[in-house]
Amino acid sequence: NPLPFSHRAIKEHQRINNTAITKSSTQLKVYYKNMSRVKLLGVNGSPASQRVEWALKIKGVKYEFITEDLQNKSPLLLKSNPVYKKIPVLLHNDKPIAESLVIIEYIDEAFEGPSILPKDPYNKAIARFWAKFLDDKCLPAVWKALWSQGEEQEKDKEEAYEVLKVLDNELKDKKFFGGDNIGFVDIVANFVGFWIEIVEEATGVVLVTCEKFPNFCAWRDEYLNCDKVKENMPSREMLLGFFKSRVQAATAIPK
């Protein structure tokens, strides 16, 4: 005997069933996103910690920030990052991920939300290149020059100028590193975009001027005036006080 359902009725039943499955799948993804346990071991005011916080906020991920004392590292930090024993460390459902660049890429892949890295493989590779340049070449040279004294200072400043010139050339005719919108490299560049000017004020060592690095300074102006940046940076006054105290400690004459 034929089935007591018309072809149209069967199709409608299948459509409703498929819609329910799709809706259920979407709800399940949201459920697991909300239920996932995300913790960040870091230090308030650390550029590396701040990068990760920014990435989490872009994705809309709720997280618990656990402040570490780097002079007395917690057993959790030492257990979570036994190789480098450094912050930041992301704990996602108790699974640790270390190193800020690795963490940001993990966040971009593990959570739904706006993309942080480019989707195109070539553009993604270029973004990774500049992020690595910032961490491996730029930050060490700039940091050393900002705190250098005596005969080594001029040499250290010249080395910093070289890497800053590379960044300046890369930013020619660009609003941000990735084009018109802030992306992965701009997040990684948070130290040169925000911290460097504060340390310059604290130490009295000036590295960046508009005459030397016009493209870099234009990028920094756009960067600092971006709402996304303003929402995700620590207190300037707090950082300035911290670095001034370091200068005072370094120049104090023992009695």
Side-chain angles (χ1 to χ4, degrees), residues 33 37 51 67 93 103 123 187 227 236:
K33 178 180 177 180
R37 299 184 303 277
R51 292 172 177 176
T67 303
N93 292 330
I103 296 171
N123 292 334
I187 293 174
D227 290 338
R236 190 184 191 281

Side-chain angles (χ1 to χ4, degrees), residues 49 64 86 102 109 120 125 134 159 183 186 211 231:
S49 294
E64 177 186 355
K86 297 192 305 183
V102 177
E109 294 179 2
D120 177 76
L134 281 160
E159 291 178 1
D186 301 283
E211 291 74 25
E231 293 169 2

Side-chain angles (χ1 to χ4, degrees), residues 86-101:
K86 297 192 305 183
I87 56 98
V89 175
L90 186 79
L91 296 171
H92 185 200
N93 292 330
D94 299 323
K95 294 179 179 179
I97 306 100
E99 295 296 291
S100 63
L101 299 190

Side-chain angles (χ1 to χ4, degrees), residues 17-57:
N17 194 43
N18 289 338
T19 301
I21 291 171
T22 302
K23 186 179 292 186
S24 176
S25 177
T26 302
Q27 290 172 341
L28 201 60
K29 284 182 179 179
V30 172
Y31 172 78
Y32 279 119
K33 178 180 177 180
N34 292 335
M35 288 299 293
S36 64
R37 299 184 303 277
V38 179
K39 298 179 182 180
L40 175 60
L41 310 183
V43 173
N44 187 28
S46 159
S49 294
Q50 205 73 34
R51 292 172 177 176
V52 178
E53 287 198 84
W54 194 351
L56 289 168
K57 289 174 182 177

Side-chain angles (χ1 to χ4, degrees), residues 66-84:
I66 301 175
T67 303
E68 281 290 332
D69 179 358
L70 299 184
Q71 304 303 317
N72 184 26
K73 297 174 183 178
S74 72
L76 180 59
L77 174 60
L78 298 176
K79 176 186 175 182
S80 302
N81 189 4
V83 176
Y84 292 112

